[in-house]
Structure formats: C-alpha cells, structure tokens
Coordinates of all heavy atoms in Angstrom, one line a residue:
T1 N -9.4 22.4 7.2 CA -8.6 22.4 5.9 C -7.4 21.5 6.0 O -7.0 20.7 5.1 CB -8.1 23.8 5.7 OG1 -9.2 24.7 5.6 CG2 -7.3 23.9 4.3
K2 N -6.7 21.5 7.2 CA -5.6 20.5 7.4 C -6.1 19.1 7.3 O -5.4 18.3 6.7 CB -5.0 20.8 8.8 CG -4.2 22.1 8.9 CD -3.7 22.2 10.3 CE -2.9 23.6 10.5 NZ -2.4 23.7 11.9
L3 N -7.2 18.8 7.9 CA -7.7 17.4 7.8 C -8.0 17.0 6.4 O -7.7 15.8 6.0 CB -8.9 17.2 8.7 CG -8.8 17.4 10.2 CD1 -10.1 17.3 10.9 CD2 -7.7 16.5 10.8
L4 N -8.6 17.9 5.6 CA -8.8 17.5 4.2 C -7.6 17.4 3.4 O -7.4 16.4 2.6 CB -9.7 18.7 3.6 CG -11.2 18.8 4.1 CD1 -11.8 20.0 3.5 CD2 -11.9 17.5 3.7
A5 N -6.6 18.2 3.7 CA -5.3 18.1 3.0 C -4.6 16.8 3.4 O -4.0 16.2 2.5 CB -4.4 19.3 3.3
Q6 N -4.7 16.4 4.6 CA -4.0 15.2 5.1 C -4.7 14.0 4.4 O -4.0 13.1 3.9 CB -4.1 15.1 6.6 CG -3.3 16.0 7.3 CD -3.6 16.2 8.8 OE1 -4.5 15.4 9.3 NE2 -3.0 17.1 9.5
G7 N -6.0 14.0 4.3 CA -6.7 12.9 3.6 C -6.4 12.8 2.1 O -6.1 11.7 1.6
A8 N -6.3 14.0 1.5 CA -5.9 14.0 0.1 C -4.5 13.5 -0.2 O -4.2 12.8 -1.1 CB -6.1 15.4 -0.5
G9 N -3.6 14.0 0.7 CA -2.2 13.6 0.6 C -2.0 12.1 0.8 O -1.2 11.4 0.1
M10 N -2.7 11.5 1.8 CA -2.6 10.1 2.0 C -3.1 9.3 0.9 O -2.6 8.3 0.4 CB -3.3 9.7 3.3 CG -2.7 10.3 4.6 SD -1.1 9.6 5.0 CE -0.7 10.5 6.5
G11 N -4.3 9.7 0.4 CA -4.9 9.0 -0.8 C -4.0 9.1 -2.0 O -3.8 8.1 -2.7
M12 N -3.4 10.2 -2.3 CA -2.5 10.4 -3.4 C -1.3 9.5 -3.2 O -0.8 8.9 -4.2 CB -2.1 11.9 -3.6 CG -1.1 12.1 -4.7 SD -1.9 11.8 -6.3 CE -2.9 13.2 -6.5
G13 N -0.7 9.5 -2.0 CA 0.4 8.7 -1.7 C 0.2 7.2 -2.0 O 1.0 6.5 -2.5
W14 N -1.0 6.7 -1.5 CA -1.3 5.3 -1.8 C -1.4 5.0 -3.3 O -0.9 4.0 -3.7 CB -2.7 5.0 -1.1 CG -3.1 3.6 -1.2 CD1 -2.7 2.5 -0.5 CD2 -4.1 3.1 -2.1 NE1 -3.3 1.4 -0.9 CE2 -4.2 1.7 -1.9 CE3 -4.9 3.7 -3.1 CZ2 -5.0 0.9 -2.7 CZ3 -5.7 2.9 -3.9 CH2 -5.8 1.5 -3.7
A15 N -2.1 5.9 -4.0 CA -2.3 5.7 -5.5 C -0.9 5.7 -6.2 O -0.7 4.8 -7.1 CB -3.2 6.7 -6.0
V16 N -0.1 6.6 -5.9 CA 1.2 6.8 -6.6 C 2.1 5.6 -6.2 O 2.8 5.0 -7.1 CB 1.9 8.1 -6.2 CG1 3.3 8.1 -6.8 CG2 1.1 9.3 -6.7
T17 N 2.1 5.1 -5.0 CA 2.9 4.0 -4.6 C 2.4 2.7 -5.3 O 3.3 1.9 -5.7 CB 2.9 3.8 -3.1 OG1 3.3 5.0 -2.4 CG2 3.8 2.7 -2.6
K18 N 1.2 2.6 -5.5 CA 0.7 1.4 -6.2 C 1.2 1.4 -7.6 O 1.5 0.3 -8.2 CB -0.9 1.4 -6.2 CG -1.5 1.2 -4.8 CD -1.4 -0.2 -4.2 CE -2.4 -1.1 -4.9 NZ -2.4 -2.4 -4.2
I19 N 1.2 2.6 -8.2 CA 1.7 2.6 -9.6 C 3.2 2.3 -9.6 O 3.7 1.6 -10.5 CB 1.5 4.1 -10.2 CG1 0.0 4.3 -10.3 CG2 2.2 4.2 -11.5 CD1 -0.4 5.7 -10.7
Y20 N 3.9 2.8 -8.6 CA 5.4 2.5 -8.6 C 5.6 1.0 -8.4 O 6.5 0.5 -9.0 CB 6.0 3.3 -7.4 CG 7.3 2.9 -6.9 CD1 8.4 3.0 -7.7 CD2 7.4 2.3 -5.6 CE1 9.7 2.5 -7.2 CE2 8.6 1.8 -5.1 CZ 9.7 2.0 -5.9 OH 10.9 1.5 -5.4
W21 N 4.8 0.4 -7.6 CA 5.0 -1.1 -7.4 C 4.7 -1.8 -8.7 O 5.2 -2.9 -8.9 CB 4.1 -1.6 -6.3 CG 4.5 -1.2 -4.9 CD1 5.8 -0.8 -4.5 CD2 3.8 -1.2 -3.7 NE1 5.9 -0.6 -3.2 CE2 4.6 -0.8 -2.6 CE3 2.5 -1.6 -3.4 CZ2 4.2 -0.8 -1.3 CZ3 2.0 -1.5 -2.1 CH2 2.9 -1.1 -1.0
S22 N 3.7 -1.3 -9.5 CA 3.4 -2.0 -10.7 C 4.5 -2.1 -11.7 O 4.5 -3.0 -12.6 CB 2.2 -1.3 -11.3 OG 2.5 -0.1 -11.8
W23 N 5.5 -1.3 -11.5 CA 6.7 -1.3 -12.4 C 7.6 -2.6 -12.1 O 8.4 -2.9 -12.9 CB 7.5 -0.1 -12.3 CG 6.8 1.2 -12.8 CD1 5.6 1.2 -13.5 CD2 7.1 2.5 -12.5 NE1 5.2 2.5 -13.7 CE2 6.1 3.3 -13.1 CE3 8.1 3.1 -11.8 CZ2 6.2 4.7 -13.0 CZ3 8.2 4.5 -11.7 CH2 7.2 5.3 -12.3
E24 N 7.4 -3.1 -10.9 CA 8.2 -4.3 -10.5 C 9.7 -4.2 -10.7 O 10.3 -5.0 -11.3 CB 7.6 -5.5 -11.2 CG 6.2 -5.8 -10.9 CD 5.6 -7.0 -11.5 OE1 6.4 -7.6 -12.3 OE2 4.5 -7.4 -11.2
L25 N 10.2 -3.1 -10.1 CA 11.7 -2.9 -10.2 C 12.5 -3.9 -9.4 O 13.7 -4.0 -9.7 CB 12.0 -1.4 -9.7 CG 11.3 -0.3 -10.5 CD1 11.7 1.0 -9.9 CD2 11.6 -0.4 -12.0
T26 N 11.9 -4.5 -8.4 CA 12.6 -5.5 -7.6 C 11.7 -6.7 -7.3 O 10.5 -6.6 -7.6 CB 13.0 -4.9 -6.2 OG1 11.8 -4.6 -5.4 CG2 13.7 -3.6 -6.4
Q27 N 12.3 -7.7 -6.8 CA 11.5 -8.9 -6.4 C 10.5 -8.6 -5.4 O 9.4 -9.2 -5.3 CB 12.4 -10.0 -6.0 CG 13.1 -10.8 -7.1 CD 13.8 -12.0 -6.6 OE1 14.2 -12.1 -5.4 NE2 14.0 -13.0 -7.5
F28 N 10.8 -7.7 -4.5 CA 9.9 -7.3 -3.4 C 8.6 -6.7 -4.0 O 7.5 -7.1 -3.6 CB 10.5 -6.2 -2.6 CG 11.7 -6.6 -1.8 CD1 12.7 -5.7 -1.4 CD2 11.9 -7.9 -1.4 CE1 13.8 -6.1 -0.7 CE2 13.0 -8.3 -0.7 CZ 13.9 -7.4 -0.3
H29 N 8.7 -5.9 -5.1 CA 7.5 -5.3 -5.7 C 6.7 -6.4 -6.4 O 5.5 -6.4 -6.4 CB 7.9 -4.3 -6.7 CG 8.6 -3.1 -6.0 ND1 9.5 -2.3 -6.7 CD2 8.6 -2.7 -4.7 CE1 10.0 -1.4 -5.9 NE2 9.5 -1.6 -4.7
L30 N 7.4 -7.4 -7.0 CA 6.7 -8.5 -7.7 C 5.9 -9.3 -6.7 O 4.7 -9.6 -6.9 CB 7.7 -9.4 -8.4 CG 7.1 -10.7 -9.0 CD1 6.1 -10.3 -10.1 CD2 8.3 -11.5 -9.6
I31 N 6.5 -9.6 -5.5 CA 5.8 -10.3 -4.5 C 4.6 -9.5 -3.9 O 3.5 -10.0 -3.7 CB 6.8 -10.8 -3.4 CG1 7.8 -11.7 -4.0 CG2 6.0 -11.4 -2.3 CD1 8.9 -12.0 -3.0
Q32 N 4.9 -8.2 -3.7 CA 3.9 -7.3 -3.2 C 2.7 -7.3 -4.1 O 1.5 -7.3 -3.6 CB 4.5 -5.9 -3.0 CG 3.5 -4.9 -2.5 CD 2.9 -5.2 -1.1 OE1 3.6 -5.8 -0.3 NE2 1.7 -4.8 -0.9
N33 N 2.9 -7.2 -5.4 CA 1.7 -7.2 -6.3 C 1.0 -8.5 -6.3 O -0.3 -8.5 -6.5 CB 2.3 -6.9 -7.8 CG 2.7 -5.5 -7.9 OD1 2.2 -4.6 -7.3 ND2 3.7 -5.3 -8.8
L34 N 1.6 -9.6 -6.0 CA 0.9 -10.9 -6.0 C 0.1 -11.0 -4.8 O -1.0 -11.6 -4.8 CB 2.0 -12.0 -6.0 CG 2.7 -12.2 -7.4 CD1 3.8 -13.3 -7.2 CD2 1.8 -12.5 -8.5
I35 N 0.5 -10.5 -3.6 CA -0.2 -10.6 -2.4 C -1.1 -9.5 -2.1 O -2.0 -9.5 -1.2 CB 0.7 -10.9 -1.2 CG1 1.6 -9.6 -1.0 CG2 1.6 -12.1 -1.4 CD1 2.5 -9.7 0.3
A36 N -1.0 -8.4 -2.8 CA -1.8 -7.2 -2.5 C -3.3 -7.4 -2.6 O -4.0 -6.9 -1.7 CB -1.4 -6.0 -3.5
P37 N -3.8 -8.1 -3.6 CA -5.3 -8.3 -3.6 C -5.8 -9.1 -2.4 O -7.0 -9.0 -2.1 CB -5.5 -9.1 -4.9 CG -4.3 -8.8 -5.8 CD -3.2 -8.7 -4.8
E38 N -5.0 -9.9 -1.8 CA -5.4 -10.7 -0.6 C -4.9 -10.1 0.7 O -4.7 -10.9 1.6 CB -4.9 -12.1 -0.8 CG -5.3 -12.8 -2.1 CD -6.8 -12.9 -2.2 OE1 -7.5 -13.1 -1.1 OE2 -7.3 -12.9 -3.3
C39 N -4.7 -8.8 0.8 CA -4.2 -8.2 2.0 C -5.2 -8.5 3.1 O -6.4 -8.4 3.0 CB -3.9 -6.8 1.8 SG -5.4 -5.7 1.7
S40 N -4.6 -8.7 4.3 CA -5.5 -9.0 5.5 C -5.4 -7.8 6.5 O -4.5 -7.0 6.4 CB -5.0 -10.3 6.1 OG -3.6 -10.2 6.5
S41 N -6.3 -7.8 7.4 CA -6.3 -6.7 8.4 C -5.1 -6.7 9.2 O -4.5 -7.7 9.6 CB -7.6 -6.9 9.3 OG -7.5 -6.1 10.4
A42 N -4.7 -5.5 9.6 CA -3.5 -5.3 10.5 C -3.9 -5.6 11.9 O -3.0 -5.6 12.8 CB -2.9 -3.9 10.3
I43 N -5.1 -5.8 12.2 CA -5.6 -6.1 13.6 C -5.4 -7.6 13.9 O -6.1 -8.4 13.3 CB -7.0 -5.7 13.8 CG1 -7.2 -4.2 13.5 CG2 -7.5 -6.0 15.2 CD1 -8.7 -3.7 13.6
R44 N -4.4 -7.9 14.7 CA -4.0 -9.3 14.9 C -4.3 -9.7 16.4 O -3.6 -10.6 16.9 CB -2.6 -9.6 14.6 CG -2.3 -9.2 13.1 CD -0.8 -9.5 12.8 NE -0.5 -9.0 11.4 CZ 0.0 -7.8 11.1 NH1 0.3 -7.0 12.1 NH2 0.3 -7.5 9.9
T45 N -5.2 -9.0 17.0 CA -5.6 -9.3 18.4 C -7.0 -9.0 18.6 O -7.7 -8.6 17.7 CB -4.7 -8.5 19.4 OG1 -5.0 -8.9 20.7 CG2 -4.9 -7.0 19.2
A46 N -7.5 -9.2 19.8 CA -8.9 -8.9 20.1 C -9.2 -7.4 19.9 O -8.3 -6.6 20.1 CB -9.3 -9.3 21.6
L47 N -10.4 -7.1 19.5 CA -10.8 -5.7 19.2 C -10.5 -4.7 20.3 O -9.9 -3.7 20.1 CB -12.2 -5.7 18.7 CG -12.6 -4.4 17.9 CD1 -11.8 -4.3 16.6 CD2 -14.1 -4.5 17.6
H48 N -11.0 -5.1 21.5 CA -10.8 -4.1 22.6 C -9.3 -4.0 22.9 O -8.8 -2.9 23.3 CB -11.5 -4.7 23.8 CG -11.0 -5.9 24.4 ND1 -11.4 -7.2 23.9 CD2 -10.2 -6.2 25.4 CE1 -10.8 -8.1 24.5 NE2 -10.1 -7.6 25.5

C-alpha cells in the first residue's frame, strides 16, 4: 500500500508541477517549458 501511495503521489506531483510551470510566472518557467520536450537522461556516465 505504501509503494502504491508513493507512486501515486509522485505522479500527481509531476503533473501538478507541469501545470504550475505552464503559467510561466518567471523566466525560469518560460525556459523550462522550452527545454522540457527535449529533456535528456540524467545518466551522464557509463551505465555500470
């Protein structure tokens, strides 16, 4: 139950934050919306 609740909370947090960014209250949010579709992997080294 905890694992399901954590997954639901994380998914909801991601969706709500995307909506908040879409309001573009700051220049940071404007830039974030421009680069969001082209986001790259956070893995910046060899897989192992």
Side-chain angles (χ1 to χ4, degrees):
T1 304
K2 288 179 182 180
L3 296 179
L4 291 175
Q6 289 164 6
M10 294 293 180
M12 179 66 73
W14 180 81
V16 172
T17 305
K18 296 285 284 186
I19 295 174
Y20 162 69
W21 285 344
S22 68
W23 297 343
E24 297 182 354
L25 300 179
T26 68
Q27 282 189 335
F28 294 153
H29 299 154
L30 174 62
I31 298 172
Q32 176 65 30
N33 288 332
L34 292 175
I35 65 176
E38 303 297 329
C39 72
S40 58
S41 171
I43 302 174
R44 304 182 185 94
T45 184
L47 197 61
H48 65 278

